[in-house]
Each structure stands twice: as structure tokens, then as C-alpha cells.
């Protein structure tokens, strides 16, 4: 069993091996224990400086990374595009190189463009963690999702997971497909044809357009948010109305009870209550939505800790 990741950056789940994912989970188990202590802090990254660069809106991912970094005792700087020189026309490489000149070791970046994290990793000398790049990948979300399934059901291998909703615009969907498949889960993508990538089946997953059929099949339903901000116009360019979407692809109590089985309910947040899931389903005993948020901190601590092991560090005290 290796105690090192096979990669220097976390750009996407596609680059990780199954062993990498299992190592992240084992490490997260240890950090979960730390987070249950009265003093939720370890000194592991006290010689590491991390810059959180958020070029796109975020609440939970930003707060989750920030907490993970603080609990590992890293020094951190936060930067969001609304208050930065990016608005003055500076390029991404210039922005980041200026930050690195101040001796930053790791960059956690969210960016609206797919491939932005990969691009940065090729042009600047720092460890890059992708916190979401457009519609491409959101690797730490997929890791915390699979970790939460493992915690709830005791395993991921063989578990049937239906990922439901706006698959076309979702980075969470793609990262989840990669992660779950690497761990041996069976994956189904379910959503309207207009929100399904044309070549979805080529990912080695089942494709379904009937939510009731998907729910009858699965052990876990991961209900994704409609990415209105990526659809142009009024945000619902790919389907007639939110009301119709909720009727066909939303999970409400009556639909949940018709399954007559305990399936696990997930949602990466933020939830449009009443659209993807109703309040009574989001707050149901089988919903692990808040466990996902809680596990996010431990999983991100594990990712940062393991990546930091690959950064040359001077422990001589000189
Ligand atoms: C996800 C994202 O930003 O891609 N949210 C998150 O990270 N908590 C999912 C979403 O926005 O729907």
C-alpha cells in the first residue's frame, strides 16, 4: 500500500489511480477523527502557504477548503476575481505568478473555463488543486461524495448510483462518473435528453430518461442542481419550465415513497428546494446531504496533506 499519491497536482479524477483514491479515503478517516476532537487542528502544513483563487462564485467549496487549510495549520491567502486585478485585464498566468512571487506553495483554484487548472499546472511552478473548472471536473466534490457513500453503506464497489439532473453542464457529474467507476460502483446518468451529453454512454454508464425507472434501479440517488448560470438567457434554455422539470425530474416525498426501499439521497448543493428535491426529501433520514458537507473538510484535508508531501520543504530550521 503506497503512502504517496501518483500525481503532483489534483486536476481531475481522470488522472487519479484507484490506489490514490483509496489513500485519500484512508487519510481522510484519520482527519475525521481529528475533527471530532475538542481541538480540531494539527500542525502538518504549518510551513506551507496556500492561495485560494476563486474566479467563480462559491460558498461551500471555498469555506470547506479554507477550513481544511486552517485545520492543517497552513498559512492562507484568499483572492476572488471580483476584487482583483483580473478586472483590470491581467492574464491568469500573470495573476498567479505575482502571487507565487510572494512564496506561495499551493494554489486552490475555481475557474469558469474547462481546463484552467491543467493550463495553470503547465505554466506556473506550484501545486495546483482544481476546485471546479467550468463544466469539466470538480474532483474534491466527487471524492467527498464517494467517501460519504462508503461511510453510509460501508462500501462503494457494487453500489448502484444514479446521478440525476443537468448532466450536460455539470462538472460534479463527470468527476463522479470517473470516481465511482474507478471504485467499482455501477453508475447511471438520468436526465432530460436536452441536458444529457450526446456521448454519455461512451463513459461506460447506463443512460436513463425516466426518473422513476432510475429510482427503482439505484441504491443512491445523487440529485444535481440545474446549472442555470451555464444555460444562457433566463437559465432554462434547455427545458420548458422549472415546474415541468420538477414534475419529471424532481424528487418529492410521494415519488420517494413509491420506491418502497431505503435509497440514499445526495445533493452537492446549493439546492434549489422544490426543483431537484423538495424540503421533506432533502431533510429525510436517508438524506446524507449534510454528511457530504461535513466529510468535505476531512477529504480536502487529506488531499492537501498528501499533495504537500510532494513539495520540497526545508525542515532544517535554518
Ligand atoms: C457544485 C459546483 O460548484 O459545481 N457545488 C459545489 O461545489 N458545492 C455543484 C453546483 O454548483 O451545482
Amino acid at each position: 500500500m503506497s503512502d504517496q499519491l501518483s500525481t503532483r497536482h489534483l486536476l481531475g479524477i481522470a488522472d487519479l489511480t484507484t490506489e490514490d483514491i483509496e489513500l485519500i479515503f484512508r487519510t481522510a478517516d484519520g482527519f475525521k477523527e481529528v475533527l471530532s476532537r475538542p481541538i480540531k487542528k494539527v500542525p502538518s502544513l504549518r510551513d506551507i502557504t496556500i492561495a485560494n483563487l476563486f474566479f467563480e462564485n462559491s460558498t461551500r467549496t471555498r469555506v470547506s477548503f479554507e477550513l481544511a487549510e486552517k485545520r492543517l495549520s497552513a498559512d492562507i491567502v484568499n483572492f476572488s476575481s471580483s476584487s482583483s486585478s483580473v478586472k483590470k485585464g491581467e492574464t491568469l498566468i500573470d495573476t498567479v505568478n505575482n502571487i507565487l512571487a510572494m512564496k506561495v506553495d499551493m494554489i486552490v483554484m475555481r475557474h469558469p473555463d474547462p481546463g484552467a487548472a491543467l493550463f495553470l499546472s503547465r505554466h506556473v511552478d506550484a501545486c495546483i488543486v482544481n476546485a471546479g473548472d467550468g463544466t469539466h471536473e470538480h474532483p474534491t466534490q466527487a471524492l467527498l461524495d464517494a467517501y460519504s457513500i462508503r461511510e453510509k453503506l460501508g462500501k462503494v464497489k457494487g453500489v448502484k448510483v444514479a446521478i440525476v439532473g443537468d448532466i450536460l453542464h455539470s462538472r460534479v457529474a463527470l468527476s463522479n462518473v470517473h470516481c465511482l467507476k474507478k471504485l467499482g460502483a455501477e453508475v447511471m446518468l438520468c436526465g432530460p435528453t436536452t441536458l444529457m451529453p450526446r456521448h454519455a454512454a461512451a463513459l461506460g454508464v447506463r443512460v436513463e430518461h425516466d426518473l422513476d425507472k432510475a429510482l427503482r434501479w439505484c441504491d443512491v440517488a445523487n440529485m444535481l442542481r440545474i446549472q442555470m448560470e451555464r444555460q444562457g438567457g433566463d437559465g432554462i434554455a434547455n427545458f420548458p419550465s422549472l415546474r415541468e422539470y420538477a414534475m419529471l425530474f424532481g424528487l418529492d416525498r410521494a415519488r420517494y415513497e413509491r420506491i418502497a426501499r431505503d435509497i440514499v439521497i445526495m445533493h452537492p448543493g446549493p439546492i434549489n428546494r422544490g426543483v431537484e428535491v423538495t424540503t421533506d426529501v432533502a431533510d429525510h433520514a436517508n438524506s446524507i446531504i449534510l454528511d457530504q458537507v461535513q466529510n468535505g473538510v476531512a477529504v480536502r484535508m487529506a488531499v492537501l496533506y498528501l499533495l504537500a508531501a510532494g513539495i520540497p520543504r526545508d525542515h532544517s530550521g535554518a
Side-chain angles (χ1 to χ4, degrees):
M1 258 193 315
S2 169
D3 60 356
Q4 272 187 335
L5 293 177
S6 67
T7 153
R8 195 186 151 213
H9 309 282
L10 179 61
L11 305 178
I13 301 287
D15 310 323
L16 296 183
T17 63
T18 305
E19 290 68 37
D20 287 331
I21 300 172
E22 283 164 356
L23 172 61
I24 292 168
F25 287 1
R26 283 199 305 280
T27 311
D29 288 340
F31 286 130
K32 245 202 117 148
E33 190 273 315
V34 169
L35 294 176
S36 68
R37 294 182 197 160
I39 297 175
K40 303 170 180 47
K41 207 163 172 160
V42 286
S44 317
L45 298 197
R46 73 180 163 198
D47 53 343
I48 293 284
T49 305
I50 305 178
N52 298 310
L53 310 188
F54 279 74
F55 296 94
E56 208 187 56
N57 293 345
S58 169
T59 313
R60 84 210 67 217
T61 305
R62 190 171 46 77
V63 171
S64 180
F65 266 110
E66 217 175 302
L67 273 177
E69 292 155 3
K70 288 192 166 153
R71 290 181 168 166
L72 290 165
S73 307
D75 284 327
I76 63 176
V77 282
N78 291 319
F79 163 101
S80 68
S81 55
S82 55
S83 57
S84 76
S85 294
V86 176
K87 293 267 182 271
K88 299 182 187 169
E90 193 177 39
T91 68
L92 179 59
I93 294 181
D94 278 343
T95 304
V96 174
N97 272 330
N98 275 279
I99 292 169
L100 291 179
M102 299 179 239
K103 303 262 182 265
V104 168
D105 306 291
M106 296 175 98
I107 304 275
V108 173
M109 182 172 75
R110 169 164 289 194
H111 198 282
D113 294 335
L118 172 67
F119 173 79
L120 208 57
S121 73
R122 292 201 174 144
H123 291 95
V124 306
D125 184 23
C127 167
I128 309 294
V129 182
N130 181 6
D133 59 334
T135 54
H136 178 226
E137 278 230 38
H138 190 355
T140 55
Q141 180 70 42
L143 290 166
L144 74 90
D145 289 344
Y147 184 86
S148 302
I149 294 173
R150 166 185 178 265
E151 181 179 73
K152 179 79 177 168
L153 300 178
K155 58 174 186 173
V156 178
K157 198 178 165 81
V159 172
K160 293 177 176 164
V161 184
I163 303 173
V164 180
D166 181 359
I167 311 296
L168 184 64
H169 301 100
S170 172
R171 53 192 170 210
V172 176
L174 185 60
S175 286
N176 258 273
V177 168
H178 288 315
C179 191
L180 291 167
K181 284 185 58 73
K182 282 178 199 247
L183 295 172
E186 286 186 58
V187 186
M188 175 187 279
L189 296 175
C190 175
T193 319
T194 49
L195 292 177
M196 186 65 70
R198 198 167 301 168
H199 302 292
L203 291 167
V205 298
R206 291 163 194 253
V207 177
E208 177 59 69
H209 301 293
D210 179 333
L211 178 58
D212 294 301
K213 282 193 188 152
L215 294 173
R216 278 201 294 278
W217 173 82
C218 72
D219 305 309
V220 176
N222 192 351
M223 309 300 295
L224 303 183
R225 185 176 67 87
I226 300 175
Q227 308 280 300
M228 296 197 214
E229 70 279 22
R230 299 194 201 286
Q231 300 201 23
D234 55 4
I236 55 166
N238 295 286
F239 51 93
S241 70
L242 279 179
R243 192 161 162 270
E244 182 180 310
Y245 180 88
M247 273 170 58
L248 293 174
F249 292 97
L251 186 52
D252 62 9
R253 187 73 182 217
R255 185 167 250 152
Y256 188 77
E257 277 167 6
R258 276 205 302 276
I259 315 166
R261 259 184 325 119
D262 278 340
I263 70 165
V264 178
I265 302 151
M266 303 177 69
H267 193 303
I271 303 177
N272 293 310
R273 283 183 186 250
V275 181
E276 302 98 30
V277 287
T278 49
T279 288
D280 45 9
V281 170
D283 303 335
H284 191 278
N286 291 334
S287 157
I288 57 166
I289 296 174
L290 286 179
D291 304 83
Q292 291 173 262
V293 177
Q294 197 182 48
N295 288 333
V297 178
V299 167
R300 292 188 169 107
M301 285 173 83
V303 165
L304 295 167
Y305 172 83
L306 291 166
L307 287 173
I311 298 174
R313 288 144 93 176
D314 178 11
H315 288 290
S316 65

